[in-house]
Amino acid sequence: MKAAPFEHHEPSTIDEAVSLLESLERPTILAGGQSLVPMLRFRLARPETIVDINGIDELDYLEEDDDSLRLGALARHADVEEADVVADRYGSFADAAPLVADPQIRNRGTVVGSITQADPKGDWGSVLLAHDGEVVARGPDGERVIPADEFFLLPYDTTLEDGELVTEVRVPTPATREGSAYHKLKRKTGDYAMAGVATRLVFDDEGRIETAGIGLTAVDITNARAREAEDCLEGERPSPELFESAGELAADESNPESDEHGDALYKERMVDVLTQRALGDAAERAGVVRTVTP
Amino acid sequence: MADRRPELTEVSPVSSDPENSAGGEYHHSEDGGPQPEKHCGHGRGGMGEEVSRKEDRRFITGRGNYVDDVKKPGMLHCELVRSPHAHARIEEIDGSRAMALDGVVAVLTADDLLEYDLATMPTLMDDTQDVLVNDKVKFQSQEVAAVIAEDRYAAKDGAEKVDVSYDVLEPVVDAETALEDDAPLIRDDIEGKEDNHCFDWETGDEEATDEAFENAAVTVEEEMFYQRLHPAPIETCGAVGDYDPGKDKLTVHMTSQAPHIHRTLFAQVSGIPEHKIRIVSPDVGGGFGNKVPIYPGYVVAAAASYVLERPVKWIEERSENIQSTGFARDYDMNGEIAATEDGEIRAIRVDVLANHGAYNAAAQPSKFPAGFFNIFTGSYDVETAYGSLSAAYTNTAPGGIAYRCSFRVTEAVYLVERMVKVLADELGMDPADVRRRNFIQPDQFPYESPTGWNYDSGDYETALDEALEMADYEAYRDEQQRRIDEDADKLLGIGISSFTEVVGAGPGKSCDIAGVEMFDSADIRVHPTGKATLRVGVQTQGQGHETTFAQIVAEELGIDVDDVVVEHGDTDTDPYGLGTYGSRSTPVAGAATAIAARKIRDKAKSIAANELEAAEEDVEWDRESGEFHVAGAPERSVTVTEIAAGAYMNHPGGEEPGLEAVNYYDPPEMTYPFGSYVVIVEVDRETGEVEFEKFVAVDDCGNRINPMIIEGQIHGGLAQGIGTAMMEQITFDDNGNVTGGDFMNYLLPTAMEIPEFETGHTVTPSPHHPIGAKGVGESPTVGSPPAIVNAVVDAMAHAGVSHVEMPMTPDVVWKHLEEAGLERRPAQNLEFELAGDAGESVTDDD
Amino acid sequence: MTDEREITLTVNGTKRTIEVEPRRLLVHAIREDLDLTGTHIGCDTGNCGACTVLVDDEPIKSCLTFAVQADGSEVLTVEGMEELPESAGDLHPLQEGFHEEHGLQCGYCTPGMILAGKALLDENPDPDEDEIREAISGNLCRCTGYQNIVRSIEYAADELEARAAADGGTSIPDRASNASATDGSDAAFDCGLENCCGGPAAGADGGESRE
């Protein structure tokens, strides 16, 4: 498989990239390239020009400030996997990173690229949704912050506008009693998800769930939120019954289709199972002790 | 070199056929029965020693030479234009836009090939396949045109610009629909053909079998589909055609498991005389049956080179490899067993619907349209059996090749080993006991099966007992019951397979490829300094021939394994052979090697007599020391190395100078390796995920040349068995589009999905093989899928599950859990409590 | 065709300048322009890992990267393994391990496996079996069933440790970085790679800048 010819541009600043995107004919942005390059090789994508952002050093960061965990457009999956701050405080990110593809691909592929590609089978979109994250884009008219909820439109389609470059995704720093998790079922290592569920739980001082976030992978036309499941959790104390209800609601809210990754009924039931498992992990990470009773 | 000492093995006495045995001193005592191996461990790297592989160095340093590594001055690149439709008539092909591109040298279509009489090629089952589609496309990705260009990228650009207009026809992809009356006709190129029926085949005694079923106390029946697979070696197929107009000679470097037969086929197809064709199969990056057939790409690369008088390289892409080259299996089987109430099998009946794709392109001996499928009575002493099969043409890639097995043995073993489990569950018996009850006993060999096979030797119960003990079978049975009793989250399943294979084709009288009898060959030359070159007609694709065949020579000539070099894969220099597949290299070419070496030893003996100044009848060969000595005077000895010098520098009068020998070996019978595998799995009741808890494989391949290499072969085959059972499958949508046509969708297991294997062995030599060996490479692929499926079924058998179809992806398993009422949701019996000061304990009382 | 561009790669310690079209994959540049055919191609989708090389010390799939993207980078292919300091002029312990433990059959996936193993041992000199399996999970092997590949990498880990101990008790990465900082004699051969020929130690550079 060999790509069709294209022009290759390598801006070294965000401004330069944005102005290239504005001036070039049908440009495509190349970040990690781990999904794009196969599409180019199969000639499913045939851009005339490629704007390769790998030389833009100001996009290469993964850092936590007072408000949020911020991932620049060049933060690779492997960076998430290796970052101490993630391992310590962002359970869902730490769970998801090693489940993405395989080690070599995680060295190149970027979190922002994966989210921007908007494959409903991608993992990071669900994590971003569960965390009420934001997507930061730069275009000719300046910077725009898009809430995760308003980002995904259709498979491979987002609310980004022509000429916009996603520079960052970010999620709020965790509250005192917060935990998150990601569970994914796949047929083998390196495969996309049959189903995946990201959860985030914030507890109040009374031990009630103050905020719940649930993002679903591969069971709808985009990464999707399980809102009814979230609603049923909020204001309640964690219990097996509560998590069972949430699992059931999340499954009801999902809209999977039968394909080579499994049939629709199976995926729907797995949303239930994975939601319950991921809620259990999130609660535990928030400081809820979970014990198996005899 | 030979740094590992062999283990000594016990050999069970078995009957033998002295007439067919070439090596008297090896395994036969005076009464003709084989004796325990005494020959191993002399430290020269002979039989039974774990010699590290001689071929490794070039591979670990990046100096291997695969077809895509071949680079010739002026070399062009070929890209094939393939049909996006599964069934379509070609109206027009216009290559003008492609020809206008920079770097494009030629666009070839069927019309161009017709000029050279190269438009079609024979398949190995004597069907006729278009090299480039002449009239009608019969499967998606079929080869329609070829673009030849200065580099790969230009060729690809050109292929994209070849305009083909199609009249799209209704496709049919599954065998059952293909055989319906109103199905669209696929093979209108065959005169008088009015349906999609490919062939019928039957075996055994239908009447006696029917009668046994009518009178049986117990009968069981199960339908099972052996899905369409692809061997998927990591190196795809490819060729470099290199016609030299000066010498009027065509050299084709190609990914071939059988270079000599490919040369003969090339000569037949092209009309170029066979001595003007040279096939070179350099290092081959895995074959597993994929590289036995001839594919259009090879022919196009050769033809283009001939026409353009420049070297032309064609390298297949992965999706082309999976979508257009030989698939395997695709057998829809219905199995039945008639038995007594205490589990004695009286008869086996099987009916198969086979999907052969657009052409009958199975790669197997031509007199066996269903391959060796009639070995389906397996390891069991069954009085009568009957099998019938209908094969259909469909709009799918041609094939039915032997993916890491002897021709359809995999399907047969799957059927019988699954059916034994079905029977055991029906009777409420331990499946190990049902096997023991029915095994062919050691004293029954040679055993003639009800479908006409002549088993050479076996001791099935010993292998099963060994495997059960290694697996701690009884303890796991207890644990399984405990989990059922306690309604545990994860169920335990134990699967057994006690398979028998038939490998090592010929004999030539019954087995042929394109009319050439299935013998094999060895040519040994001992040089003046005592170093030896062995050339063989088989072709390694990773099996380690450069080491194991050298070990046979080292053993037979008493020289060091490092003093033997093995060459293969070049039809100009190697003796004619039928190639490597069907585990035939050791049984056939290994035998040829041993016999050629013994011929050399015979000649060496007369030279030895000369050197030792003794009568020839007083000279003895001492296998242990690797020397000739005078009887009764071991201190008067001479080695083959010393004799080699004599053969060239001081040869006795009346003898020809030199020291070399050739043998073409036509095996008297096939060999029958066997084994027992025990697989223990955990099944997650929430998700249907299957995890391997234990994987035990006990194999018996007769005498063992290199235990390290054997174990490596077993590991690899077991991994492929896991791929088969758990994830691999080529599927099609109703329009004939391949939906599992690349490595994103055709799933090969990674190191994460493959467990640690525990291997064991027994040794029951083949009585008719010169070194008592049977061949081993395919046993694990053949034997493991039923063991794995049996294990997953076993985990759910208590709730009435009798069969799970492969590949057993989590959703497939979960569906059975659900139907059997075994599926469950998580988060039961859990207690949550907020740590620290806040919250209170919440308990689930359920 | 589009215009070719000149790029410079430091391949196995040697600077090489080639002209490539932007669409040319790194693997094609390595195999065809630099004639290093030890790096293989087994699929079109980035699944098989036969094309694995180290770029600036990280294992990547060279069929999922354009050659122009590697401009200015250090590339290590299997052909460079024997030149590494821990190879002591002969086979690298990983290569030795694959031979000793029968970690290869057809050899096609082997170079990619060796480089995936190298990347693992650079980061984690004493991996357990699960870590090894994870590290090679982006590399498909159809022949070995992986078990002996795991053994081969374990062999290399032990061998590297033994060699380091024989050299004064420090691990190879430590020794390499110390040498570059303090021992001028090692600078005679410096390929510039991390943990290699006296190049900078892992974590001193690319690893940290991303966080």
Side-chain angles (χ1 to χ4, degrees):
Chain A
M1 288 285 159
K2 304 101 195 165
F6 55 78
E7 276 177 34
H8 182 246
H9 298 269
E10 283 176 293
S12 53
T13 64
I14 295 173
D15 289 342
E16 204 185 323
V18 170
S19 82
L20 276 169
L21 291 174
E22 196 180 8
S23 62
L24 292 170
E25 195 72 21
R26 297 180 55 221
T28 288
I29 299 165
L30 172 64
Q34 304 300 283
S35 299
L36 179 62
V37 175
M39 287 168 73
L40 293 169
R41 291 178 65 185
F42 278 95
R43 303 196 175 193
L44 296 171
R46 315 187 42 123
E48 277 162 33
T49 54
I50 278 187
V51 177
D52 180 346
I53 61 170
N54 285 281
I56 305 178
D57 291 343
E58 57 188 309
L59 292 175
D60 194 357
Y61 58 87
L62 184 163
E63 60 195 21
E64 189 187 40
D65 61 23
D66 290 347
D67 302 322
S68 49
L69 176 72
R70 301 166 52 235
L71 285 76
L74 289 178
R76 320 276 168 176
H77 308 298
D79 296 332
V80 180
E81 212 176 342
E82 287 156 16
D84 290 340
V85 62
V86 169
D88 293 345
R89 292 161 57 78
Y90 299 87
S92 57
F93 283 79
D95 288 344
L99 296 175
V100 174
D102 62 46
Q104 290 96 318
I105 287 177
R106 294 199 291 273
N107 280 333
R108 293 292 299 176
T110 64
V111 175
V112 164
S114 168
I115 289 171
T116 308
Q117 201 200 0
D119 184 335
K121 289 186 161 71
D123 302 299
W124 291 117
S126 301
V127 174
L128 195 71
L129 286 167
H131 280 267
D132 281 325
E134 291 171 333
V135 175
V136 183
R138 277 275 292 277
D141 303 328
E143 189 169 282
R144 193 159 75 97
V145 176
I146 311 162
D149 281 336
E150 295 166 20
F151 187 68
F152 300 106
L153 271 181
L154 286 168
Y156 311 103
D157 193 9
T158 67
T159 54
L160 279 178
E161 282 161 20
D162 284 350
E164 279 187 318
L165 168 72
V166 176
T167 56
E168 176 181 295
V169 294
R170 60 195 184 204
V171 298
T173 51
T176 317
R177 294 180 184 282
E178 175 174 327
S180 65
Y182 185 66
H183 277 245
K184 174 181 181 177
L185 265 181
K186 49 188 176 167
R187 297 174 299 174
K188 64 163 243 183
T189 302
D191 192 22
Y192 281 96
M194 303 176 88
V197 177
T199 58
R200 170 173 165 257
L201 293 174
V202 182
F203 290 86
D204 65 18
D205 291 342
E206 309 287 303
R208 287 196 182 78
I209 296 167
E210 196 171 75
T211 310
I214 299 177
L216 308 179
T217 304
V219 290
D220 214 324
I221 56 166
T222 65
N223 293 111
R225 271 186 99 127
R227 290 207 179 277
E228 287 176 33
E230 291 172 356
D231 289 347
C232 103
L233 292 163
E234 286 175 3
E236 303 293 327
R237 287 176 190 280
S239 72
E241 295 84 352
L242 180 68
F243 287 1
E244 276 193 63
S245 307
E248 208 156 314
L249 285 168
D252 287 349
E253 286 176 80
S254 70
N255 288 297
E257 282 187 5
S258 295
D259 61 13
E260 67 280 4
H261 285 83
D263 76 15
L265 173 68
Y266 175 74
K267 291 181 194 175
E268 190 184 303
R269 297 323 305 159
M270 288 312 105
V271 170
D272 174 16
V273 169
L274 299 182
T275 299
Q276 292 189 57
R277 289 180 176 184
L279 285 171
D281 283 356
E284 189 165 60
R285 288 167 181 170
V288 175
V289 177
R290 181 167 50 143
T291 48
V292 178
T293 60
Chain B
M1 46 125 266
D3 47 350
R4 301 175 196 218
R5 308 298 292 182
E7 48 193 309
L8 287 169
T9 49
E10 294 294 321
V11 181
S12 326
V14 293
S15 60
S16 72
D17 180 356
E19 197 188 326
N20 294 324
S21 303
E25 82 275 33
Y26 225 77
H27 300 293
H28 297 81
S29 62
E30 280 162 14
D31 64 9
Q35 293 298 294
E37 294 171 273
K38 294 187 181 117
H39 51 270
C40 41
H42 42 54
R44 291 185 296 274
M47 284 281 293
E49 294 189 40
E50 295 204 329
V51 178
S52 303
R53 294 204 325 168
K54 293 156 67 75
E55 49 266 79
D56 282 354
R57 188 155 186 124
R58 66 180 185 269
F59 297 124
I60 57 183
T61 56
R63 295 183 180 90
N65 182 36
Y66 302 91
V67 167
D68 198 13
D69 302 340
V70 173
K71 198 173 182 176
K72 301 270 176 188
M75 188 169 74
L76 299 168
H77 292 260
C78 168
E79 181 83 24
L80 294 172
V81 177
R82 293 175 182 275
S83 170
H85 309 292
H87 200 191
R89 216 165 281 284
I90 293 182
E91 292 174 331
E92 200 192 346
I93 302 175
D94 178 0
S96 57
R97 287 203 305 144
M99 283 301 289
L101 289 177
D102 270 358
V104 172
V105 174
V107 177
L108 299 179
T109 65
D111 287 345
D112 302 303
L113 295 180
L114 275 167
E115 270 181 53
Y116 297 89
D117 211 15
L118 284 171
T120 60
M121 58 179 205
T123 71
L124 295 182
M125 292 308 279
D126 211 23
D127 199 347
T128 301
Q129 178 172 352
D130 288 349
V131 173
L132 295 174
V133 175
N134 187 24
D135 174 32
K136 196 174 82 168
V137 169
K138 300 182 189 70
F139 62 95
Q140 190 186 41
S141 286
Q142 191 169 4
E143 300 79 2
V144 168
V147 175
I148 316 294
E150 297 287 348
D151 71 48
R152 286 173 199 268
Y153 287 78
K156 185 82 183 176
D157 293 344
E160 209 180 27
K161 294 271 191 284
V162 174
D163 299 305
V164 186
S165 49
Y166 296 95
D167 175 19
V168 179
L169 306 170
E170 184 192 346
V172 53
V173 293
D174 75 283
E176 199 175 336
T177 314
L179 293 180
E180 286 170 3
D181 288 343
D182 56 349
L185 178 64
I186 298 166
R187 296 301 302 274
D188 48 8
D189 56 316
I190 302 173
E191 212 179 307
K193 190 85 190 144
E194 286 176 353
D195 60 23
N196 296 319
H197 183 250
C198 183
F199 66 88
D200 282 328
W201 169 90
E202 64 176 349
T203 184
D205 186 335
E206 184 175 17
E207 206 176 311
T209 304
D210 288 349
E211 197 182 314
F213 270 86
E214 277 159 29
N215 298 328
V218 180
T219 61
V220 287
E221 181 173 1
E222 193 68 59
E223 197 173 339
M224 56 195 77
F225 179 54
Y226 212 128
Q227 78 272 28
R228 180 174 286 223
L229 298 176
H230 198 282
I234 306 299
E235 179 202 34
T236 59
C237 299
V240 178
D242 186 9
Y243 176 67
D244 179 344
K247 290 182 181 164
D248 187 25
K249 183 158 185 175
L250 174 68
T251 300
V252 187
H253 300 261
M254 58 186 273
T255 50
S256 172
Q257 294 179 232
H260 300 276
I261 193 74
H262 284 165
R263 184 186 66 187
T264 302
L265 288 168
F266 261 99
Q268 288 172 353
V269 171
S270 67
I272 301 173
E274 195 166 2
H275 66 297
K276 297 279 192 180
I277 301 174
R278 177 187 177 203
I279 305 291
V280 181
S281 186
D283 290 325
V284 179
F288 316 115
N290 184 217
K291 294 164 183 171
V292 175
I294 294 255
Y295 297 119
Y298 299 148
V299 178
V300 169
S305 176
Y306 190 79
V307 173
L308 299 168
E309 299 192 348
R310 286 173 69 179
V312 176
K313 180 185 273 189
W314 165 72
I315 298 295
E316 195 178 59
E317 293 170 349
R318 173 57 57 192
S319 46
E320 297 180 283
N321 176 251
I322 293 180
Q323 293 178 21
S324 72
T325 66
F327 71 88
R329 327 294 190 234
D330 214 335
Y331 259 29
D332 201 349
M333 305 184 283
N334 190 69
E336 293 172 90
I337 286 183
T340 62
E341 273 170 353
D342 58 354
E344 187 188 327
I345 299 172
R346 306 307 297 267
I348 299 178
R349 191 160 58 192
V350 46
D351 185 42
V352 182
L353 181 59
N355 185 338
H356 271 260
Y359 301 94
N360 187 2
Q364 61 204 12
S366 62
K367 290 170 193 158
F368 294 83
F372 300 167
F373 183 73
N374 54 342
I375 189 103
F376 64 75
T377 55
S379 308
Y380 309 104
D381 183 14
V382 182
E383 224 168 81
T384 183
Y386 175 71
S388 54
L389 178 147
S390 285
Y393 294 114
T394 61
N395 289 117
T396 63
I401 60 146
Y403 162 33
R404 201 167 183 161
C405 67
S406 261
F407 332 111
R408 305 294 188 184
V409 172
T410 318
E411 291 90 327
V413 164
Y414 181 69
L415 179 102
V416 66
E417 289 305 310
R418 279 291 300 119
M419 287 312 298
V420 167
K421 166 69 174 157
V422 171
L423 175 66
D425 286 349
E426 171 72 21
L427 296 171
M429 284 177 71
D430 184 325
D433 291 338
V434 175
R435 286 180 168 82
R436 284 197 193 92
R437 179 95 179 71
N438 292 286
F439 277 147
I440 301 161
Q441 295 301 307
D443 61 5
Q444 288 178 274
F445 293 94
Y447 171 84
E448 194 179 335
S449 83
T451 52
W453 293 100
N454 194 12
Y455 292 36
D456 59 348
S457 62
D459 181 356
Y460 302 147
E461 193 159 344
T462 302
L464 175 61
D465 289 345
E466 172 76 12
L468 294 176
E469 194 183 320
M470 283 172 68
D472 210 356
Y473 182 69
E474 293 304 330
Y476 275 104
R477 280 278 174 228
D478 293 345
E479 170 65 11
Q480 177 182 40
Q481 191 57 48
R482 187 191 68 76
R483 293 194 191 194
I484 293 169
D485 295 343
E486 294 177 6
D487 196 25
D489 288 340
K490 290 190 176 174
L491 295 167
L492 206 65
I494 307 166
I496 304 172
S497 160
S498 293
F499 64 93
T500 293
E501 259 210 297
V502 49
V503 308
K509 285 288 164 275
S510 51
C511 298
D512 71 288
I513 294 287
V516 182
E517 293 181 9
M518 293 181 77
F519 56 83
D520 234 287
S521 58
D523 172 345
I524 304 174
R525 299 176 186 185
V526 182
H527 310 302
T529 53
K531 314 295 181 192
T533 299
L534 164 67
R535 296 199 168 100
V536 287
V538 291
Q539 170 62 38
T540 188
Q541 315 123 44
Q543 292 90 339
H545 292 175
E546 290 169 39
T547 305
T548 52
F549 281 72
Q551 286 182 262
I552 296 173
V553 174
E555 177 68 33
E556 296 295 336
L557 296 184
I559 60 178
D560 196 285
V561 69
D562 284 348
D563 291 338
V564 185
V565 67
V566 179
E567 294 183 355
H568 50 83
D570 185 338
T571 59
D572 263 11
T573 52
D574 303 326
Y576 202 103
L578 274 285
T580 293
Y581 44 85
S583 287
R584 63 187 300 283
S585 296
T586 295
V588 193
T593 300
I595 293 170
R598 288 170 193 177
K599 283 186 183 176
I600 285 177
R601 217 168 60 211
D602 285 347
K603 179 172 182 184
K605 192 175 179 184
S606 72
I607 301 172
N610 191 47
E611 305 249 326
L612 294 167
E613 296 175 337
E616 195 175 332
E617 55 271 27
D618 293 336
V619 173
E620 290 178 345
W621 171 249
D622 182 341
R623 184 172 291 279
E624 195 59 33
S625 67
E627 294 169 328
F628 289 103
H629 59 73
V630 178
E635 73 287 353
R636 290 178 62 200
S637 65
V638 61
T639 63
V640 168
T641 305
E642 290 159 344
I643 290 165
Y648 291 90
M649 300 167 188
N650 180 30
H651 82 275
E655 283 273 4
E656 273 182 58
L659 197 56
E660 56 183 78
V662 178
N663 179 255
Y664 281 71
Y665 184 78
D666 181 13
E669 278 291 345
M670 291 186 219
T671 60
Y672 295 74
F674 60 91
S676 273
Y677 297 162
V678 179
V679 176
I680 299 168
V681 297
E682 269 193 341
V683 176
D684 186 323
R685 292 171 64 183
E686 295 172 7
T687 61
E689 288 172 293
V690 174
E691 275 217 22
F692 292 98
E693 169 81 16
K694 214 173 187 43
F695 207 121
V696 171
V698 173
D699 274 277
D700 191 322
C701 58
N703 282 329
R704 294 150 60 84
I705 300 170
N706 184 326
M708 175 193 82
I709 285 178
I710 291 172
E711 186 170 276
Q713 292 278 303
I714 300 295
H715 289 172
L718 294 176
Q720 292 185 342
I722 290 173
T724 296
M726 306 309 294
M727 59 188 76
E728 295 180 31
Q729 182 169 28
I730 298 177
T731 51
F732 300 88
D733 69 15
D734 290 342
N735 294 321
N737 299 309
V738 183
T739 48
D742 54 42
F743 278 170
M744 303 272 280
N745 297 297
Y746 190 83
L747 305 178
L748 302 192
T750 75
M752 302 294 278
E753 286 78 44
I754 300 300
E756 179 92 6
F757 302 116
E758 296 169 48
T759 55
H761 67 275
T762 58
V763 176
T764 312
S766 171
H768 64 69
H769 189 273
I771 58 171
K774 287 187 169 186
V776 73
E778 298 165 339
S779 295
T781 331
V782 170
S784 63
I788 300 165
V789 176
N790 285 346
V792 173
V793 169
D794 191 62
M796 302 183 281
H798 63 287
V801 174
S802 65
H803 182 62
V804 178
E805 291 283 25
M806 303 187 291
M808 300 185 294
T809 47
D811 54 323
V812 169
V813 176
W814 181 85
K815 191 168 278 177
H816 286 282
L817 287 165
E818 194 216 11
E819 281 167 12
L822 292 170
E823 103 287 3
R824 72 163 28 155
R825 304 177 62 211
Q828 295 170 32
N829 304 322
L830 286 175
E831 183 175 319
F832 290 94
E833 183 181 0
L834 197 55
D837 46 354
E840 60 192 55
S841 164
V842 187
T843 308
D844 178 15
D845 295 321
D846 289 348
Chain C
M1 285 221 234
T2 45
D3 290 343
E4 298 199 336
R5 236 183 71 188
E6 187 177 281
I7 61 169
T8 301
L9 310 172
T10 303
V11 183
N12 302 328
T14 305
K15 225 169 217 180
R16 307 280 297 268
T17 300
I18 51 174
E19 297 211 337
V20 294
E21 271 192 277
R23 61 169 165 165
R24 193 162 184 80
L25 293 170
L26 178 59
V27 69
H28 286 143
I30 290 171
R31 287 179 50 79
E32 292 172 10
D33 302 332
L34 301 172
D35 285 327
L36 295 168
T37 54
T39 302
H40 298 145
I41 302 170
C43 71
D44 321 316
T45 46
N47 292 84
C48 82
C51 65
T52 300
V53 298
L54 303 195
V55 171
D56 294 336
D57 250 12
E58 281 188 340
I60 64 136
K61 293 181 173 174
S62 61
C63 80
L64 293 184
T65 309
F66 295 113
V68 290
Q69 293 184 276
D71 190 11
S73 300
E74 313 275 353
V75 178
L76 179 70
T77 71
V78 68
E79 289 91 343
M81 293 295 289
E82 287 160 281
E83 306 299 325
L84 299 176
E86 59 266 39
S87 304
D90 195 4
L91 293 179
H92 187 276
L94 272 159
Q95 295 171 307
E96 207 175 278
F98 275 74
H99 176 60
E100 292 296 328
E101 299 295 334
H102 189 29
L104 69 150
Q105 291 180 28
C106 81
Y108 202 76
C109 75
T110 311
M113 287 287 183
I114 286 175
L115 287 157
K118 161 102 173 79
L120 169 68
L121 297 182
D122 285 349
E123 293 268 317
N124 178 0
D126 185 23
D128 62 26
E129 179 175 338
D130 289 345
E131 288 166 333
I132 295 172
R133 286 183 180 269
E134 162 69 27
I136 59 169
S137 65
N139 296 70
L140 295 174
C141 172
R142 197 64 159 156
C143 294
T144 65
Y146 303 106
Q147 190 156 324
N148 288 346
I149 293 178
V150 172
R151 300 279 168 280
S152 303
I153 295 172
E154 284 171 348
Y155 174 102
D158 291 347
E159 183 62 24
L160 283 164
E161 193 189 356
R163 288 187 193 185
D167 274 7
T170 53
S171 71
I172 290 286
D174 287 349
R175 187 168 58 95
S177 58
N178 290 344
S180 71
T182 59
D183 186 354
S185 65
D186 269 16
F189 184 91
D190 183 355
C191 74
L193 287 181
E194 285 181 4
N195 301 330
C196 168
C197 318
D205 167 13
E208 280 182 0
S209 70
R210 292 225 186 93
E211 289 180 17

